[in-house]
């Protein structure tokens, strides 16, 4: 696979970030929003679908996952980092909605953009060069996973989901999120696996991470702009 075949999806994600407004980060489609607001009782399969759809279409999640696994080659290490991210994401999403703990959506989504920037800088070795230290990448993945979960829980709270069947529906949604994460991760690993076999991988890795970092800054800018305007 040519490097261009990998870089084009990265540029597409960046373009998506540029064309999507601040309100779209972690947003739920209007049709899904209406469904969430209207239903009552337990609806497991629909919520599994909604969770998977959110993760697969969540470009901020995908960018962060891409950054996390960019230089991970062993499945054991990938599983550890992805599990830490899933643990953080699931914990705050479930607890945030169940206990009605909301955070300013602009601020939380700006922090999520910051997580993308952080991981790209980490991949570029910036912290080693600038400060002479290497942050604990596992702890950072868990902490940023917590913020990613709060991003979604904040949106769900805004949609006033019915308390009837709330916990089973949230658990089903979380199962869907994990399914979507595995699907996205699988696609990323397949593409990365082909790219890593080429001699140009390390030569273009810098450019790819700069693109990821730029997308993160774009996300931050949109959210902070939306916050000041609102």
């Amino acid at each position: 696979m040519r490097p261009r075949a990998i870089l084009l999806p990265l540029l597409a994600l960046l373009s998506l970030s540029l064309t999507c407004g601040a309100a779209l980060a972690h947003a739920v489609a209007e049709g899904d929003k209406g469904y969430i607001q209207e239903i009552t009782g337990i609806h497991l399969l629909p919520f599994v679908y909604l969770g998977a759809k959110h993760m697969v279409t969540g470009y901020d999640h995908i960018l962060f996952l891409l950054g996390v696994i960019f230089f991970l080659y062993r499945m054991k290490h990938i599983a550890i980092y992805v599990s830490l991210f899933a643990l953080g994401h699931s914990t705050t999403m479930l607890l945030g909605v169940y206990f009605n703990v909301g955070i300013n959506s602009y601020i939380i989504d700006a922090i999520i953009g910051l997580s993308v920037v952080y991981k790209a800088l980490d991949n570029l070795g910036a912290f080693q060069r600038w400060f002479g230290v290497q942050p604990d990448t596992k702890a950072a993945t868990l902490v940023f996973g917590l913020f990613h979960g709060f991003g979604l829980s904040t949106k769900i709270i805004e949609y006033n989901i019915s308390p009837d069947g709330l916990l089973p529906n949230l658990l089903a949604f979380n199962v869907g999120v994990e399914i979507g994460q595995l699907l996205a991760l699988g696609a990323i690993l397949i593409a990365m696996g082909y790219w890593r076999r080429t001699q140009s991988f390390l030569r273009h890795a810098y450019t790819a991470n700069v693109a990821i970092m730029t997308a993160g800054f774009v996300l931050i800018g949109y959210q902070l702009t939306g916050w000041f305007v609102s």
Side-chain angles (χ1 to χ4, degrees), residues 69-124:
I69 63 95
F70 200 92
F71 287 120
L72 296 179
Y73 294 89
R74 299 180 61 181
M75 288 304 300
K76 175 183 177 181
H77 296 155
I78 293 172
I80 290 172
Y81 279 89
V82 172
S83 296
L84 287 170
F85 178 66
L87 175 62
H89 186 280
S90 301
T91 299
T92 47
M93 190 277 288
L94 292 170
L95 295 180
V97 176
Y98 192 77
F99 292 104
N100 198 35
V101 178
I103 300 177
N104 183 293
S105 60
Y106 292 111
I107 297 299
I108 197 66
D109 284 335
I111 294 174
I112 290 172
L114 178 63
S115 73
V116 176
V117 173
Y118 161 83
K119 194 55 204 166
L121 288 173
D122 187 35
N123 289 343
L124 293 170

Side-chain angles (χ1 to χ4, degrees), residues 36-38 155-163:
I36 291 173
Q37 291 176 323
E38 292 175 4
K155 288 297 181 184
I156 294 177
I157 290 172
E158 291 176 359
Y159 298 148
N160 297 317
I161 186 172
S162 171

Side-chain angles (χ1 to χ4, degrees), residues 68-222:
V68 167
I69 63 95
F70 200 92
F71 287 120
L72 296 179
Y73 294 89
R74 299 180 61 181
M75 288 304 300
K76 175 183 177 181
H77 296 155
I78 293 172
I80 290 172
Y81 279 89
V82 172
S83 296
L84 287 170
F85 178 66
L87 175 62
H89 186 280
S90 301
T91 299
T92 47
M93 190 277 288
L94 292 170
L95 295 180
V97 176
Y98 192 77
F99 292 104
N100 198 35
V101 178
I103 300 177
N104 183 293
S105 60
Y106 292 111
I107 297 299
I108 197 66
D109 284 335
I111 294 174
I112 290 172
L114 178 63
S115 73
V116 176
V117 173
Y118 161 83
K119 194 55 204 166
L121 288 173
D122 187 35
N123 289 343
L124 293 170
F127 301 112
Q128 289 274 12
R129 291 197 302 272
W130 295 346
F131 309 111
V133 297
Q134 174 58 52
D136 188 330
T137 53
K138 291 186 179 68
T141 300
L142 175 61
V143 170
F144 281 125
L146 295 172
F147 284 110
H148 278 250
F150 268 129
L152 181 56
S153 67
T154 299
K155 288 297 181 184
I156 294 177
I157 290 172
E158 291 176 359
Y159 298 148
N160 297 317
I161 186 172
S162 171
D164 184 14
L166 176 61
L167 183 57
N169 288 337
L170 285 179
L171 292 173
F173 187 91
N174 190 66
V175 169
V177 166
E178 300 312 319
I179 292 173
Q181 178 171 273
L182 290 175
L183 291 174
L185 180 64
I188 292 172
L189 289 176
I190 291 172
M192 292 294 290
Y194 280 108
W195 189 21
R196 286 168 177 168
R197 294 190 184 98
T198 67
Q199 296 180 349
S200 61
F201 170 68
L202 292 178
R203 186 167 66 249
H204 291 277
Y206 178 89
T207 302
N209 278 281
V210 169
I212 294 171
M213 179 177 62
T214 303
F217 276 123
V218 170
L219 290 171
I220 294 171
Y222 267 128

Side-chain angles (χ1 to χ4, degrees), residues 30-45:
E30 285 300 315
D32 296 337
K33 173 184 174 181
Y35 178 79
I36 291 173
Q37 291 176 323
E38 292 175 4
I39 64 172
T40 60
I42 299 174
H43 297 269
L44 299 182
L45 289 180

